[in-house]
Amino acid sequence: MTTSVAPRSNEARSGTGRRTGGADGSPSAPTRRARKGTDVRTRVEIAVLAGPAVIMFVGFVILPVVLAAYYGFYKWQGYGAPVDFVGLQNYTVIFTDPDFRGVLWHNLFIVLGSLVVQGPIAIVLALLLNQRIRGRGLIRVLIFLPYVISEVIVGTGWSLMLQSSGAVNDLLQSIGLGALRNDWLSNPDIALWTLLGIISWKYIGFAVILFLAGLQSIPEELFEAAQLDGASYWQIQRRITLPLLGPTLRIWAFLSIIGSLQLFDLVYIIWGQYIASTAGTSTMATYMVANGRLSGNYGYGNAVAVVIFLISLVVALVYQRFVLRRDTAGALTGKGDR
């Protein structure tokens, strides 16, 4: 019996058949070209998708800051090319002006007051609204409603109600508390507290919704296990809820601090450009407008804008370095603090 063997092809005998890679396992030229084409296509897609956002950010954030820093070295009336170079004179005036130190204190008061007032109240409301109670959805909407109302409407409404002959004083008189009637907007002793109350009323809804979102991310199994171990309600909140709500609390505090440092619209709408200074409610932003645009000294106004930007930047960097470090490290590296 004979066994036939299929003859090898010429390519097999000569060892010149096609291979997908080199002798050392490296990708062949077609594979490298395909990968290069994919990388180019990926870069093009990123440029197309991120390009408009980058252009908008540079045009409306970076460029105005650079131009403000440039004009801040001049005494400029707001039109034509700046020619009256004054160097650091504008910045020297800012830091030696007692009015600026006063408005800086007002901003710091609003920062601390917002954290102390809004934070605890928002946490309590969020814990209550996280329970299964009747009308919970409606209550959430009512609490969040002031936040979505525009500042113009809020400022106009409160300015009318808080006048000497406004609805608030009339209500106090009608319920027998006429002794509490006051000039809520013009009295320098209470005007800043009035501003803090209006800000808290408007922005506390945002904090409540943010905290509710953080509470929804906490597993129910943790609460059930704590209850089985005999922990009380307040022990559960102190030992489980608040620690796990920490990242949300820190983010809210950061947003509240930056917003308080840049507060402008409510003050300008309620108190205007003249009463704010006499009532003691001026902020750095209203100071910038009053001493810049309204005084025809745009160079000085730009210098104040740069100072506000630098203060906000320093606060943001310090806060991120010492408060948000653990949260951002875990988000960026996926490892967290060690």
Side-chain angles (χ1 to χ4, degrees), residues 73-93:
F73 293 110
Y74 290 87
K75 186 177 180 181
W76 184 48
Q77 302 300 318
Y79 55 88
V83 293
D84 191 0
F85 182 79
V86 295
L88 296 176
Q89 178 181 341
N90 288 330
Y91 297 95
T92 303
V93 173

Side-chain angles (χ1 to χ4, degrees), residues 55-113:
I55 294 174
M56 294 287 288
F57 181 78
V58 172
F60 290 94
V61 177
I62 302 300
L63 183 60
V65 171
V66 174
L67 291 177
Y70 170 73
Y71 290 128
F73 293 110
Y74 290 87
K75 186 177 180 181
W76 184 48
Q77 302 300 318
Y79 55 88
V83 293
D84 191 0
F85 182 79
V86 295
L88 296 176
Q89 178 181 341
N90 288 330
Y91 297 95
T92 303
V93 173
I94 292 174
F95 291 108
T96 57
D97 186 2
D99 291 338
F100 182 79
R101 291 195 294 269
V103 300
L104 180 60
W105 157 245
H106 295 162
N107 279 101
L108 294 178
F109 176 84
I110 295 299
V111 168
L112 297 177

Side-chain angles (χ1 to χ4, degrees), residues 17 29 58 86 93 98 119 121 138 181 189 200 216 241 250 257 259 269 274 326 335:
V58 172
V86 295
V93 173
I121 296 176
L138 177 61
R181 290 169 55 94
D189 296 330
S200 300
Q216 298 299 319
T241 304
R250 289 187 285 270
I257 291 171
I269 293 168
Y274 303 111
R326 180 173 56 186
K335 299 179 181 179

Side-chain angles (χ1 to χ4, degrees), residues 109-194:
F109 176 84
I110 295 299
V111 168
L112 297 177
S114 298
L115 296 177
V116 173
V117 174
Q118 296 181 39
I121 296 176
I123 291 175
V124 172
L125 291 176
L127 291 175
L128 292 175
L129 294 177
N130 198 43
Q131 307 297 318
R132 293 182 177 89
I133 59 177
R134 181 176 298 178
R136 179 175 61 176
L138 177 61
I139 298 174
R140 289 180 179 181
V141 171
L142 293 178
I143 291 177
F144 188 68
L145 185 62
Y147 178 73
V148 299
I149 300 176
S150 69
E151 281 75 5
V152 174
I153 297 176
V154 171
T156 304
W158 279 107
S159 63
L160 293 174
M161 290 189 295
L162 292 173
Q163 291 179 0
S164 299
S165 58
V168 173
N169 283 335
D170 288 346
L171 177 62
L172 293 175
Q173 184 68 36
S174 63
I175 61 177
L177 297 176
L180 298 179
R181 290 169 55 94
N182 210 316
D183 195 353
W184 305 100
L185 300 179
S186 301
N187 188 347
D189 296 330
I190 62 173
L192 197 58
W193 292 95
T194 301

